[in-house]
Amino acid sequence: MPSQVDHQKRALRAELRERRQNLTASERDKATIGITNNLIALVTGLSASSVACYLSAPNEPNTRPFLNWALANDVRVLFPISREDGLLDWTVGESGSEVEGLFGMPEPIGEPLGPIAINDVDLILVPAAAVSPDGMRMGWGRGFFDKTLGSMEKCPPVYAIVFDNELQDDVPHEKHDQRVNGVVTPSNIFEF
């Protein structure tokens, strides 16, 4: 039976999904420029030579211009590929093309490197629905990133990417939900 936290999460996700759908093209473009600049600043500031990052879907903060910059600047990028068992596999997406993954999210086509490939990156960039000022991340409910982060022995810094209004004072959470070290928004980079 769904708990009260489940209901709170579901309601907040629905509200945030609707907000994202209501963004205008110019609001999206402005957000993309800010997020790209802040991601570049974060990677440069950490001297990260390899990052794990996802291909953004149309309603998500746009990671693609940043990914183009990373590839042009010899930053190795690992992309997640969802698996039936609830774990994430990883690829460098060497084919340059993409498909729709298990849950309709864009995923690159490339040689699967296995779930532990993520242990070699300097920075992990994850999607989120909302993040609180103490680093509590609420995802979209599938638990892929929580499982991955929870299973890592030595985790590099993890930053969620969200729109400015998705930094929420309070985010409903459960035991399995993983905190992040920081968040990147169009207007800022926050470290927790």
Side-chain angles (χ1 to χ4, degrees), residues 72-129:
N73 287 275
D74 294 324
V75 175
R76 182 173 185 256
V77 179
L78 278 188
F79 298 96
I81 304 173
S82 46
R83 300 180 356 169
E84 295 281 356
D85 63 5
L87 294 175
L88 289 172
D89 212 327
W90 300 90
T91 183
V92 292
E94 63 278 4
S95 75
S97 45
E98 59 185 75
V99 293
E100 199 173 279
L102 284 180
F103 299 103
M105 298 306 288
E107 295 181 357
I109 299 172
E111 187 67 34
L113 304 174
I116 64 168
I118 193 172
N119 289 327
D120 298 331
V121 300
D122 303 318
L123 171 67
I124 300 174
L125 299 168
V126 297

Side-chain angles (χ1 to χ4, degrees), residues 7-142:
H7 291 302
Q8 291 170 335
K9 283 182 170 181
R10 203 168 293 134
L12 183 55
R13 283 185 188 117
E15 180 189 323
L16 295 168
R17 204 172 275 122
E18 189 176 327
R19 266 197 232 160
R20 283 186 174 187
Q21 283 163 346
N22 291 334
L23 286 172
T24 66
S26 73
E27 286 170 329
R28 274 185 195 288
D29 291 345
K30 191 175 171 205
T32 297
I33 292 166
I35 281 173
T36 302
N37 291 337
N38 287 335
L39 286 170
I40 291 169
L42 178 64
V43 168
T44 309
L46 292 173
S47 302
S49 61
S50 65
V51 300
C53 187
Y54 59 100
L55 284 175
S56 54
N59 68 336
E60 291 184 300
N62 191 351
T63 59
R64 290 160 189 269
F66 159 73
L67 292 168
N68 292 337
W69 172 86
L71 296 169
N73 287 275
D74 294 324
V75 175
R76 182 173 185 256
V77 179
L78 278 188
F79 298 96
I81 304 173
S82 46
R83 300 180 356 169
E84 295 281 356
D85 63 5
L87 294 175
L88 289 172
D89 212 327
W90 300 90
T91 183
V92 292
E94 63 278 4
S95 75
S97 45
E98 59 185 75
V99 293
E100 199 173 279
L102 284 180
F103 299 103
M105 298 306 288
E107 295 181 357
I109 299 172
E111 187 67 34
L113 304 174
I116 64 168
I118 193 172
N119 289 327
D120 298 331
V121 300
D122 303 318
L123 171 67
I124 300 174
L125 299 168
V126 297
V131 181
S132 67
D134 64 352
M136 185 48 71
R137 170 190 172 271
M138 183 179 80
W140 293 102
R142 302 239 182 254

